[in-house]
Amino acid sequence: MAIDIDLTQFHEIFYEESLEGLGAMESGLLNLDIGTPDVEVINTVFRAAHSIKGGAGTFGLMDIAQFTHIVETTLDEVRGRKRGVTQELVDLLLESVDALRYMIDCSKAGKAVDQDQIAELADSLGQVERKAPAENIKTPAAVSSGWRVIFKPAPHLLQTGNEPYRLFRELKTLGELMVTADATALPDFDQLDPELCYLSWELLIRGDTSREQISEIFAWVEGDCALEITLQGDRRQFVERRQAEREALPEQAEAREAASIRVNIDKVDGLINLVGELVITQSILNRVTGEITGNKVEDLLAVVEILVRNTRDLQDQAMRIRMLPIDFTFNRLPRLVRDLSRSLGKQVDLVITGNSTEVDKTVLEKISDPLIHLIRNAVDHGIEKPDDRLAAGKPEKGLIEISASQEGGNIIIKIEDDGAGLNQDKILATARERGLVGQEELTPAQINNLIFQPGFSTATEISSVSGRGVGMDVVKRNINDLGGNVELSSVAGKGTRFSIKLPLTLAILDGQLVRVGKETLVIPILNIVESIQPNKIQILEITGETRVYRYRDQYLPVIRLYETFGIPTDIMELQKGLLVVVDTGEQRAALFVDEILGQQQVVIKSLESNYRPVPGLSGATILGDGTVAMIIDITSLTQLYRNTNRKEVA
Amino acid sequence: MSSPVQTIKNLELDEDATSQYLTFLLAGEEYGLDILKVQEIRGWEQPTMLPNALNYVLGVINLRGTVVPIIDLRQRFALEKSQFGQTTVVVIVKVSSADKERTVGIVVDAVSEVYNVNDEQIRPTPDLGGAISMEFVKGLATLGEKMIILLDIDKLINTGVLKEIATH
């Protein structure tokens, strides 16, 4: 009796888990050291392929299962030492990962897969020269690579039967060796004990060796000396240290993975909504108990106090459920850098730190594109070609560092490269040419910020990567839309650094409450410049209807919220109310309100999910008394205002 | 004499085709809503107004942390406005829209009962010239002496309300 189970319901889970597995395979392959491949890494990649094959087979996705089987077989040969790791093989395996992603996407969308492409790839995998493990192709020698070893034996080393000279002789087989002895600890002849070692050495090894090979030589004396092995050059030391730290993390990462479950995001949002309601109820309770008098009230107040604390903690934890490590976005960057640097003929190292910093899921999704763009620019325009770098006295390989950290209620992401930096003269010339700026003098910071103008690009060749001039202004706008900002600093010849500041979560906003008629509205504090009492002298009338207000040296359009939003109110004369000067980054306006209330952090609720987007608003929020208040979106408000005015004039 | 159409319908009778409908009153007529689409029934609370909204969109309320729009069916179908107060009833419905679900509140005169309606009791509706236009009506159900106009609430909210607002 056959059990007829509909397997398609499991496909979703299979897709999700397989894409994760492919991600793990990709990082593993990118981190694989061709010279001395780490067996653990190969095993991880193999296991991921094995799971995908198994899952695909079980759930009836035979195409994927068959192709993955070929990949798995190849990896099995590598880990069984029947096949050596070569650059060509790694490239093919990475292509296979891409192919599998493509096959999974096709399966999801119900599209047919290009079988020829897949067959070709499968053939290539089979045909890659099966070199025995010992015969690894040497990676193109990075001539400037070398190691610096500081060897300080303990005084009793000689008594253990170890002789430093033998160790140095071994080291010599790895490459060019330069030895410098340090005899400062050597005592006077009459105090000298011939059985003790007073010398220490600095050894410089030039050659294509790995750290493992060097430390293996010192394995016998490990406990009896102080040993320090570093890559030459200070940047290199940094890269080394980072890599060592990263190697220490896999165990932690595995442990963390085991203790997690998948949760549908609707459930999480539902939970957060309820917690929000709880907070409001508790705050009303708090207020009401404050008004009671009597003897039992002390006890009641004490309990309410505890409730307030518990609720606040509960809310913090609930908000944190939506947060994910920024690694989810960072993890696609190594591949990007590798492919890009290859195709542009550059050599780039990418170092990522702080990838466990947590960010709200929506911020994570939206920051991805800007980050990718900035990295592309860094590789394309920032890092110079290897020859140019050597000529400038820099190491052949360029370095891009990305870091993420949390500061207060914000997350700071920095992208720093040691490339050519911004060419100020070229930027200024292009800006003048495009009419973006006049003949006036600009500070270096102002010149740098010109690149954020729409339509700006100094790239003389439009490569497939960049040069169309649609990049930086979109990056800036995307970041501003997230409620953050981006700053840049650059030194010609040395490098460039972008610093992005983002709020930890999109769901919360610092808001200024204002009243118009009977309605309470919220203006994002981020956009507020100042609130002022209008002075009759500064009011200017244009075309009889439109009012403009003179603020410092600018003329700001006055947006009467009661008019634009259709709210009945008694206060219609400018002097009787207040003006809130707002700035969107691109333009300024003065909003006319009846009264200014308090400031508070508000949770943004969507108007779109049950209703639709409303021009002039970015969403709604629930106030402390349980009622709904509108949150103003300054950019769309100014648009709305212009449209209404145009209609009237017409 | 039963018409051929009716006979065929009887032959295809599946005993399990009974649905439950919640009925409400609007301007003297009784309308039915598929009970599976009804989330809850609430009393009246003053909604927060939405700027520049159509007259029948009264505003939004806070429903356990979610913002839900409130639609006045009377105004939507050009009936006389009624006074909102203690006796006003708001039916919160969940409708399917594109691939998601939307929660919307509709203001009605009063809520009546829940009836079991067998598919065979539903007849196609001639245009009775009632308040709610025929495109939103699924059919007419005769239960004893009563006649209930069964509404297609998904279509009413999606096409009849939200789409209209978008093209306004």
Side-chain angles (χ1 to χ4, degrees), chain A residues 71-123:
Chain A
V71 177
E72 186 199 26
T73 315
T74 313
L75 287 163
D76 200 18
E77 289 175 4
V78 172
R79 75 176 185 156
R81 296 189 176 266
K82 298 205 204 95
R83 193 194 263 226
V85 176
T86 64
Q87 189 65 46
E88 199 190 340
L89 184 62
V90 170
D91 286 347
L92 275 179
L93 286 171
L94 281 170
E95 262 186 67
S96 309
V97 169
D98 284 340
L100 280 170
R101 279 201 185 118
Y102 160 68
M103 287 173 91
I104 290 180
D105 283 340
C106 286
S107 178
K108 267 200 219 180
K111 283 202 307 217
V113 169
D114 179 358
Q115 293 295 350
D116 294 329
Q117 235 186 4
I118 306 292
E120 222 183 284
L121 193 51
D123 275 341

Side-chain angles (χ1 to χ4, degrees), chain A residues 142-161:
Chain A
V143 177
S144 58
S145 83
W147 297 89
R148 180 167 170 261
V149 180
I150 312 249
F151 175 54
K152 284 199 181 88
H156 66 264
L157 182 84
L158 301 174
Q159 295 167 0
T160 63

Side-chain angles (χ1 to χ4, degrees), chain B residues 11-84:
Chain B
L11 286 174
E12 289 171 351
L13 189 59
D14 182 355
E15 258 152 274
D16 290 345
T18 307
S19 323
Q20 285 189 309
Y21 284 86
L22 170 75
T23 59
F24 65 85
L25 293 166
L26 191 73
E29 285 168 20
E30 195 161 350
Y31 296 91
L33 287 176
D34 182 351
I35 195 116
L36 294 173
K37 305 253 171 200
V38 176
Q39 183 174 296
E40 65 194 85
I41 299 169
R42 282 170 81 90
W44 171 255
E45 76 187 81
Q46 179 68 38
T48 302
M49 60 148 276
L50 288 167
N52 304 318
L54 288 168
N55 64 339
Y56 55 83
V57 178
L58 299 177
V60 289
I61 61 166
N62 165 20
L63 187 71
R64 288 185 300 282
T66 319
V67 171
V68 171
I70 305 294
I71 312 291
D72 183 2
L73 281 186
R74 269 179 173 263
Q75 287 189 66
R76 169 63 182 81
F77 293 109
L79 299 166
E80 202 186 301
K81 257 176 80 162
S82 68
Q83 294 282 68
F84 301 126

